[in-house]
Amino acid sequence: KGEFLLKNPTSTNLESAKSLIREFAKWSKELGPAVAGIQLGNENDYYVRGAGTVKFGSGAWDEVNLSAQDYHRFMNDLAGIYKGIDNTHPVFLGHGQLASWQTALLKGNLTNYDGIAINVYPNWNEGRPAKRVMPVSELENYFMSQVNIASELGKPLVIGEFGESSYGRLGDKGQSQFARNVTEALIKFTPGAIVGVFWHEYLPEYWKDGEIHPSESGLSLFENGKIKPAFVELSKGYQMMAKAAGMPVTLTTQIPKESSEKPVKSEASS
């Protein structure tokens, strides 16, 4: 029977977690430049009492029974173990939205990390599903607040997750507008303060509609084997960010295998 190791953080389970990181480091090191970077954790602070801006979790697998201080100390130890085996890839702490009060917890516990990867959904600050699309100015202010906190900690940011759903009032048009606005806002911080951005998600995960929120599957950029308008806007925005960083790229995409259509390139591809 499997056990979520940090739900029951005995010395044996904590050592098991360290062993898993050692194996992961050996595996990912061999992948070389195919891996851009490593993220340890995924908004874990939301599952640690007193560590996150929100508190999730109460099930058999989704709670971390460590104090906030012990959790961050342990995560820093894991990064040290990882980099002791693979120092060829940058390592980022997977975190939720940053708040200024968290700096006291994070300072001293990021020594083995190259940066922080945050999962943020600013368009949901007024509730979910969103009723409007935040304008570029509001998004710039939001990301500035996150960048300022990371700067105080001396670390760059990766936006490990961001996105918006086509569910409800916004629809495909609103999701597309959000993709346009958010990439325009992010350009201000790349390169430099923000070193990577990842839209969530590529394909719909329908099981989340029941377990998390009905809008979850609408976060996807593809639906029924077809490209959604948000993908086109996101591709254009990514290319603009790359050019601003002096690194022009060619973006191509292939229709997911579920489709019977032939692979196509997006409008932002060449």
Side-chain angles (χ1 to χ4, degrees):
K1 182 180 179 179
E3 181 177 37
F4 181 53
L5 297 175
L6 299 188
K7 171 80 172 179
N8 182 23
T10 62
S11 58
T12 298
N13 281 351
L14 293 179
E15 187 54 46
S16 294
K18 293 177 181 178
S19 295
L20 289 171
I21 292 296
R22 293 186 185 100
E23 292 303 311
F24 176 55
K26 293 174 186 175
W27 175 78
S28 54
K29 182 179 181 179
E30 295 300 315
L31 297 176
V35 175
I38 300 297
Q39 177 179 318
L40 298 182
N42 182 45
E43 60 188 41
N44 289 8
D45 53 302
Y46 289 166
Y47 301 88
V48 181
R49 192 174 302 278
T53 56
V54 296
K55 178 66 171 69
F56 293 159
S58 60
W61 61 273
D62 60 356
E63 183 134 20
V64 177
N65 284 318
L66 290 168
S67 70
Q69 293 82 0
D70 287 345
Y71 162 73
H72 282 296
R73 191 177 302 116
F74 180 68
M75 291 301 292
N76 197 39
D77 288 345
L78 292 184
I81 290 169
Y82 183 94
K83 296 191 86 169
I85 296 169
D86 175 18
N87 64 359
T88 63
H89 295 111
V91 180
F92 295 83
L93 173 66
H95 201 274
Q97 177 175 277
L98 288 169
S100 58
W101 60 264
Q102 292 172 322
T103 57
L105 290 171
L106 290 164
K107 279 182 177 176
N109 289 315
L110 291 172
T111 54
N112 294 320
Y113 286 97
D114 299 291
I116 307 170
I118 58 174
N119 295 357
V120 291
Y121 295 86
N123 212 45
W124 296 348
N125 286 345
E126 297 172 6
R128 186 178 183 188
K131 297 176 177 61
R132 70 182 184 103
V133 175
M134 291 175 73
V136 174
S137 59
E138 287 185 31
L139 287 163
E140 284 183 351
N141 289 338
Y142 176 84
F143 286 113
M144 177 64 79
S145 71
Q146 297 297 289
V147 163
N148 286 344
I149 295 169
S151 178
E152 186 177 345
L153 293 166
K155 301 294 179 181
L157 285 179
V158 163
I159 310 301
E161 284 186 22
F162 73 104
E164 181 51 276
S165 178
S166 58
Y167 174 89
R169 181 184 300 180
L170 261 59
D172 284 348
K173 184 177 180 180
Q175 184 189 37
S176 177
Q177 182 66 54
F178 177 79
R180 184 183 310 120
N181 289 3
V182 74
T183 50
E184 185 176 337
L186 286 167
I187 287 173
K188 183 175 181 178
F189 307 103
T190 57
I194 295 178
V195 296
V197 294
F198 297 89
W199 180 281
H200 179 77
E201 58 194 357
Y202 192 67
L203 295 172
E205 296 181 286
Y206 294 106
W207 64 271
K208 291 184 177 179
D209 289 349
E211 292 201 14
I212 300 176
H213 192 276
S215 64
E216 278 288 321
S217 62
L219 288 162
S220 66
L221 295 171
F222 292 82
E223 192 170 43
N224 299 321
K226 297 181 186 288
I227 294 173
K228 294 167 71 175
F231 179 85
V232 176
E233 291 299 331
L234 189 68
S235 296
K236 292 176 181 176
Y238 278 0
Q239 286 197 332
M240 285 178 11
M241 280 190 276
K243 289 177 181 178
M247 297 181 294
V249 296
T250 298
L251 296 177
T252 61
T253 188
Q254 183 170 340
I255 294 290
K257 292 181 179 179
E258 293 87 345
S259 172
S260 60
E261 300 176 20
K262 294 180 180 179
V264 299
K265 293 181 179 180
S266 77
E267 293 179 16
S269 306
S270 60

